[in-house]
Amino acid sequence: MLCALLLSATLCNAEVRLPQIFQSGMVLQRGTNIPVWGQASPQESVTVSLNKKKCVTTADTNGYWRVDLPAMKAGGPYELRINDHVLSDVWVGDVWLCSGQSNMETTLERVSPQYPDELNDSNNMVRLFHVQYQTDTRQPSADLCPTSWQRLNRQNAWRFSSIGYFLGKQLQREKGVAQGIIESAWGGTPIEAWIASDTLAKYYPVLHRQTQLYQNDAFVQAQQRAGMVANHRWQEILDEGDPGMAPVEGSEGGLWTQLSFDDSAWSEVNQYDLLPNQREMIGSLWLRQHVQISKEHAGKAAQLLLGTLYDSDVTYINGVKVGNTGYQYPPRRYQVPAGLLREGDNVITVRFINKNGKPYFIHEKPYRLVFTKDDVQPLSEQWRLKQGLEMPYSIGRGVDLQYQPSTLFNGMISPMAPFAVAGVLWYQGESNADTRQASEYASLLRLMMANWRQAFQRPELPFVIIQLANYMEPSVQPQNTGWSMVREAQRVVAKEDNRAELAVTIDVGETVDIHPLRKKDVAQRVALALERLLWNPRVILSPEVEKATVEGTQVVFVLSQPLLNEGALYEFEVAGADGRYVNAEAEGQGSRITIKSSVSKPVSVRYAWKNNPIRANVFGKNGLPMSPFELKLDSNE
């Protein structure tokens, strides 16, 4: 509703009205016709000019108009004139659409500890366009929510896609032309949310009917209100009954957050083993840790790093709240104001609030007080623990329309089409990685790509599919998981489409974090894939199996390039006719891999077919990892 009001206020003052995507500071795509469109009074004449090119048209009876400016070389800045509208600082270069779920959304701020030297970069020839969240259950929205094109600098990039940020900088440096990065992504969303309704109605009618369920406003509003009331009541009961929240006069924190509170009778626990038998704890759980602050550090501002926690937390120092996070994924980086830390004894109090599962600290994350880059005080793994109030499971859910089929295509993709872009980066799949959904992922991905190519009126619109990274606890034994199935679907779809490439990231993930930090590596691999798709087909990407033969009980692969590391190779599995996979030994030499196992008649081989194949070490001579795969062997060989 707010979007609609803002749009109406913006548009009512001008006869010629432009979509949000057309603004000063924008980048237009070089080397192809440039669609420009909008609304005007019916039958109004519209003149569009850019860089000495001019097109004239007349709005139709509904007020819609469109022109296609001729293809241009890179350059700028120019003025784009549409009747009385003058858009300044307009560049012609390359435009990239970055879409998917949270790993595409992961911001520069989130990955900043990995890349401290990137934080103050600016580049006038890289422009960022962030599509605001918007859903529509019925039809494509008339326009995007109000937003704008921004120059790349720390302030504008801080909350922007880190992959888009790194890609824009790299391609601008390599190509010497302006780069426009459009981020249209939403964390946690499934692929079906990004596919048009008519496409799903034809191929996946059940998903289409699922969207129809949410086209009833009364139903949606009732669900939303019920969820909001249930969540509010659950939290109200928790806060009222939690002994740790007993009020303390003159303090914003409850009784158990105070430095003066005696916690000597609380249990002593290691942060990685909070509860006996790993039992669930729904409600609140309190932890306190006393830290000794030196005279030198007393009174100084600091940053408290509490790694990543499950699920939500409210954190206090000496009774003062320094931060809170409402769900499990964000890193806890809380600012400690000057004057709060005192010489001698201080107490950090963490109030876990869990609505599902068991609270825990994530391994391999930083837990410390940071005064400066080189002045750090680690926290202990030992805490004092006390249960606050146990609660029933929360029943409040409401309706999250972004998870419903077609809602994001309608709200965040269609309103931009047919804006000219050079290519699409697609990083999604985690939310479709349960086994049932994963089995359909290849089909849905094909439909989505065809759908977007039709919407943008580019039958050969290039796609780079970013494969899911390694994640979760490693396994010694073979696994058959939805994550592996989604990776295989991504590989197969990219392989069969001559306008698509796969960016393999099986080596840049993290065991404990679904949002790995190494986003610059991902952007570099995307840039290589784009180089191959658009400019230099001789570019070599990840190694692939070109030939597979069965020699007795052994399987021999010939790869598309020599190996970077010869000798023992890991994460191979072989199956016989019974379909049961067993671990296999493998050895690489040159561009050949020889695989040995206990299976007398191999019929299939898998590589890195696990959630987190942490030992996978097949890399091409160019340093890129081989993709996970499942390969059926020819019984005649």
Side-chain angles (χ1 to χ4, degrees):
M1 185 179 297
L2 177 61
C3 286
L5 290 172
L6 290 170
L7 285 170
S8 64
T10 301
L11 301 181
C12 67
N13 295 322
E15 291 183 345
V16 171
R17 303 184 293 274
L18 299 174
Q20 285 291 311
I21 195 75
F22 293 102
Q23 296 190 43
S24 294
M26 69 187 303
V27 179
L28 298 171
Q29 181 57 45
R30 62 171 168 161
T32 186
N33 289 347
I34 303 171
V36 182
W37 70 93
Q39 289 285 319
S41 300
Q43 304 302 316
E44 182 179 354
S45 177
V46 179
T47 301
V48 180
S49 61
L50 174 72
N51 189 27
K52 302 179 181 179
K53 304 293 193 301
K54 182 167 72 173
C55 293
V56 180
T57 189
T58 302
D60 65 18
T61 55
N62 295 315
Y64 177 82
W65 59 269
R66 171 181 167 176
V67 301
D68 283 15
L69 292 168
M72 301 180 192
K73 293 181 179 180
Y78 303 123
E79 287 185 344
L80 175 62
R81 294 179 174 269
I82 304 103
N83 284 13
D84 294 333
H85 289 265
V86 180
L87 305 185
S88 60
D89 194 28
V90 174
W91 295 78
V92 177
D94 291 326
V95 183
W96 311 101
L97 173 54
C98 304
S99 190
Q101 57 181 111
S102 55
N103 266 304
M104 183 59 83
E105 270 196 304
T106 299
T107 62
L108 181 63
E109 184 274 334
R110 178 76 73 88
V111 305
S112 58
Q114 185 81 12
Y115 306 105
D117 296 335
E118 299 278 352
L119 305 185
N120 295 315
D121 276 13
S122 62
N123 190 317
N124 184 48
M125 291 182 69
V126 179
R127 303 300 171 91
L128 312 176
F129 187 83
H130 182 263
V131 176
Q132 304 294 332
Y133 290 161
Q134 182 175 214
T135 64
D136 197 315
T137 59
R138 288 183 171 83
Q139 60 191 3
S141 301
D143 199 0
L144 301 172
C145 281
T147 185
S148 62
W149 287 87
Q150 301 286 337
R151 299 182 182 189
L152 186 151
N153 57 38
R154 174 174 177 151
Q155 179 181 350
N156 296 330
W158 197 237
R159 298 293 181 184
F160 195 80
S161 165
S162 53
I163 292 176
Y165 165 87
F166 289 122
L167 180 71
K169 287 205 323 176
Q170 178 174 340
L171 291 183
Q172 197 285 316
R173 183 176 63 249
E174 292 178 354
K175 304 302 176 185
V177 306
Q179 301 291 314
I181 309 296
I182 300 172
E183 178 196 346
S184 182
W186 195 330
T189 55
I191 191 172
E192 56 267 26
W194 300 93
I195 301 176
S197 180
D198 55 355
T199 301
L200 291 180
K202 181 176 181 180
Y203 296 100
Y204 283 89
V206 173
L207 289 176
H208 175 64
R209 287 192 286 272
Q210 181 178 328
T211 303
Q212 290 179 309
L213 181 66
Y214 295 95
Q215 291 174 351
N216 183 298
D217 292 341
F219 170 73
V220 171
Q221 291 166 9
Q223 291 286 316
Q224 296 282 29
R225 175 157 180 78
M228 182 175 64
V229 170
N231 272 314
H232 178 76
R233 184 57 182 151
W234 190 93
Q235 189 69 45
E236 189 176 57
I237 294 170
L238 174 66
D239 290 344
E240 289 175 352
D242 190 337
M245 293 298 292
V248 176
E249 186 175 352
S251 174
E252 63 176 314
L255 176 64
W256 290 359
T257 72
Q258 304 302 305
L259 177 60
S260 59
F261 176 74
D262 182 6
D263 57 22
S264 59
W266 286 22
S267 303
E268 292 191 19
V269 297
N270 184 280
Q271 67 185 36
Y272 302 120
D273 188 22
L274 294 183
L275 296 172
N277 303 318
Q278 298 296 301
R279 73 177 181 88
E280 292 188 352
M281 168 59 200
I282 310 303
S284 63
L285 191 73
W286 292 79
L287 291 109
R288 286 167 56 95
Q289 178 174 151
H290 291 263
V291 294
Q292 299 300 309
I293 298 298
S294 68
K295 181 178 181 180
E296 177 189 1
H297 292 123
K300 287 188 175 181
Q303 186 180 50
L304 174 63
L305 302 184
L306 273 182
T308 308
L309 309 176
Y310 183 89
D311 186 22
S312 69
D313 74 285
V314 186
T315 297
Y316 304 82
I317 293 181
N318 298 337
V320 176
K321 187 172 80 170
V322 295
N324 67 279
T325 304
Y327 64 110
Q328 71 183 89
Y329 294 119
R332 273 57 169 179
R333 300 172 188 156
Y334 298 148
Q335 301 306 314
V336 182
L340 181 55
L341 294 171
R342 61 194 70 188
E343 183 180 358
D345 190 36
N346 296 256
V347 68
I348 300 170
T349 307
V350 180
R351 186 193 189 208
F352 279 94
I353 301 174
N354 267 38
K355 296 184 177 181
N356 181 43
K358 57 182 178 62
Y360 58 88
F361 288 73
I362 305 296
H363 284 269
E364 302 172 25
K365 296 295 181 180
Y367 298 90
R368 59 182 71 116
L369 279 167
V370 180
F371 295 96
T372 67
K373 179 181 178 181
D374 300 317
D375 188 1
V376 174
Q377 182 170 334
L379 300 183
S380 170
E381 291 185 7
Q382 299 301 119
W383 295 75
R384 293 185 180 273
L385 175 146
K386 183 76 172 178
Q387 181 172 308
L389 188 70
E390 191 163 6
M391 291 285 290
Y393 282 96
S394 171
I395 60 173
R397 178 60 179 174
V399 173
D400 295 313
L401 292 178
Q402 71 270 25
Y403 301 145
Q404 306 310 319
S406 304
T407 55
L408 299 185
F409 176 83
N410 288 343
M412 297 174 66
I413 296 299
S414 182
M416 286 188 289
F419 192 77
V421 299
V424 176
L425 284 61
W426 178 248
Y427 196 165
Q428 191 278 336
E430 298 91 340
S431 289
N432 291 87
D434 72 48
T435 305
R436 181 188 62 80
Q437 290 181 323
S439 65
E440 299 177 337
Y441 193 81
S443 175
L444 289 167
L445 182 55
R446 293 185 189 101
L447 287 178
M448 190 211 77
M449 293 165 66
N451 199 188
W452 289 23
R453 285 166 171 160
Q454 181 181 33
F456 285 90
Q457 300 174 16
R458 292 276 306 282
E460 295 190 348
L461 179 64
F463 276 79
V464 174
I465 301 165
I466 302 172
Q467 196 178 50
L468 297 188
N470 51 306
Y471 172 56
M472 291 180 274
E473 283 297 317
S475 173
V476 174
Q477 298 304 318
Q479 293 178 315
N480 189 30
T481 69
W483 277 65
S484 294
M485 295 169 68
V486 168
R487 289 190 194 112
E488 180 70 347
Q490 293 169 325
R491 183 188 72 85
V492 168
V493 171
K495 180 75 173 175
E496 69 189 17
D497 189 321
N498 63 8
R499 296 300 293 164
E501 291 290 355
L502 184 71
V504 180
T505 65
I506 198 62
D507 60 322
V508 302
E510 298 181 28
T511 297
V512 297
D513 198 338
I514 199 171
H515 305 120
L517 297 183
R518 292 173 57 187
K519 292 297 190 278
K520 188 173 185 178
D521 297 71
V522 177
Q524 289 170 340
R525 293 176 190 184
V526 168
L528 271 178
L530 291 172
E531 183 73 23
R532 177 182 171 95
L533 272 172
L534 296 172
W535 297 294
N536 184 3
R538 293 188 297 276
V539 167
I540 299 174
L541 301 178
S542 290
E544 299 179 19
V545 177
E546 289 192 333
K547 183 179 181 182
T549 57
V550 179
E551 300 177 359
T553 61
Q554 296 182 357
V555 179
V556 178
F557 289 162
V558 177
L559 302 186
S560 57
Q561 59 178 289
L563 292 161
L564 178 66
N565 47 322
E566 298 184 335
L569 303 174
Y570 302 101
E571 301 289 9
F572 284 90
E573 304 162 8
V574 175
D578 61 1
R580 187 175 66 87
Y581 283 87
V582 299
N583 289 330
E585 296 180 356
E587 184 173 351
Q589 185 174 14
S591 58
R592 291 168 58 90
I593 299 176
T594 302
I595 304 164
K596 306 174 185 178
S597 73
S598 59
V599 177
S600 59
K601 294 183 178 180
V603 300
S604 183
V605 176
R606 284 175 173 170
Y607 171 67
W609 194 271
K610 295 174 180 175
N611 291 329
N612 187 5
I614 199 165
R615 301 181 73 199
N617 65 334
V618 179
F619 290 80
K621 201 72 174 178
N622 59 2
L624 296 180
M626 184 164 71
S627 168
F629 62 82
E630 180 180 61
L631 180 63
K632 303 299 182 184
L633 302 171
D634 189 339
S635 59
N636 295 324
E637 291 185 307

